[in-house]
Amino acid sequence: AQSVTQPDIHITVSEGASLELRCNYSYGATPYLFWYVQSPGQGLQLLLKYFSGDTLVQGIKGFEAEFKRSQSSFNLRKPSVHWSDAAEYFCAVGMEYGNKLVFGAGTILRVKS
Amino acid sequence: GAGVSQSPSNKVTEKGKDVELRCDPISGHTALYWYRQSLGQGLEFLIYFQGNSAPDKSGLPSDRFSAERTGGSVSTLTIQRTQQEDSAVYLCASSSGSYQETQYFGPGTRLLVL
């Protein structure tokens, strides 16, 4: 069955430091991968997505992610974190049929000043 | 409207009562999804509508859950005889319906069953 693993429940980084959030997926076919962010009391906002082509994907707010098929990973990165990046981040894989998303458990990012 | 809207934003109900949650998708979007976000289960798919096709109900957790989409636009998720384990945030998303097109999420309805 398709699944997404985000091994880190919580991560704390200092403002200005770099960030990497891990995501591993299990999916038999070509994966369609997404990163969403959820701020408190808000819905999910798409940061970036990977369908095919260049394995390094650029997103909004200075985020990027790299698809590594050999490692079944799609880690999210940002070179310099801002206090406003504090939120919960979800990795998801899109099913080929019906486009429904399977989400990871999420990683809560805390930014300390 | 510019985005997906959901109502009510919060709902408190008593165990055993029925509730209806509403979703207004982005105008012109043919695909509509319901997801549930709960502490124990994370974010899970519930149901998917695409145009006039039969909905994909494979994620509904029990027959107490049902959803309809009228006129290809507004959708209502109904939970009958609510249980405490139904307490969660119910998120609606819509997309243009093209293959793997981005899903845009609403702010959710926070349901608390006492």
Side-chain angles (χ1 to χ4, degrees):
Chain A
Q2 295 76 15
S3 65
V4 176
T5 301
Q6 294 180 246
D8 303 305
I9 299 175
H10 295 97
I11 282 186
T12 300
V13 299
S14 298
E15 190 169 15
S18 63
L19 170 70
E20 182 169 33
L21 302 182
R22 295 182 290 163
C23 172
N24 292 94
Y25 66 90
S26 173
Y27 190 58
T30 302
Y32 300 90
L33 297 160
F34 305 80
W35 274 101
Y36 281 86
V37 60
Q38 186 177 38
S39 299
Q42 303 296 313
L44 295 165
Q45 181 183 23
L46 180 71
L47 285 175
L48 46 78
K49 60 187 179 185
Y50 170 79
F51 287 168
S52 64
D54 193 349
T55 56
L56 185 61
V57 181
Q58 301 297 320
I60 63 171
K61 305 184 179 186
F63 286 92
E64 66 178 26
E66 185 170 13
F67 169 61
K68 294 185 177 180
R69 184 184 298 274
S70 62
Q71 298 177 18
S72 297
S73 70
F74 189 57
N75 295 347
L76 181 71
R77 300 194 296 248
K78 186 170 184 178
S80 178
V81 169
H82 188 262
W83 64 267
S84 60
D85 293 325
E88 189 163 15
Y89 292 79
F90 292 91
C91 181
V93 61
M95 306 283 285
E96 284 194 33
Y97 173 70
N99 297 341
K100 54 193 175 189
L101 299 175
V102 175
F103 286 89
T107 297
I108 296 173
L109 172 65
R110 297 186 178 124
V111 181
K112 60 181 181 181
S113 56
Chain B
V4 178
S5 60
Q6 294 185 244
S7 60
S9 54
N10 293 279
K11 176 72 177 179
V12 180
T13 190
E14 294 178 349
K15 178 181 173 182
K17 295 285 182 66
D18 297 351
V19 295
E20 288 188 349
L21 312 179
R22 176 187 169 103
C23 172
D24 283 89
I26 292 172
S27 178
H29 278 189
T30 60
L32 187 147
Y33 309 77
W34 284 98
Y35 294 86
R36 179 170 70 174
Q37 185 174 23
S38 57
L39 283 176
Q41 302 298 321
L43 264 162
E44 52 181 345
F45 164 81
L46 296 178
I47 188 168
Y48 160 58
F49 296 89
Q50 169 61 298
N52 295 321
S53 303
D56 176 353
K57 305 178 182 180
S58 61
L60 294 179
S62 78
D63 59 7
R64 295 186 296 103
F65 287 72
S66 63
E68 63 178 19
R69 189 177 185 192
T70 54
S73 180
V74 172
S75 177
T76 302
L77 177 69
T78 301
I79 309 173
Q80 296 178 310
R81 305 180 303 281
T82 52
Q83 303 294 312
Q84 289 182 331
E85 61 263 28
D86 299 334
S87 296
V89 177
Y90 290 83
L91 293 167
C92 176
S94 71
S95 76
S96 66
S98 299
Y99 187 57
Q100 293 298 351
E101 190 56 45
T102 298
Q103 295 179 30
Y104 295 89
F105 284 79
T109 293
R110 186 175 299 276
L111 175 66
L112 178 61
V113 182
L114 300 176

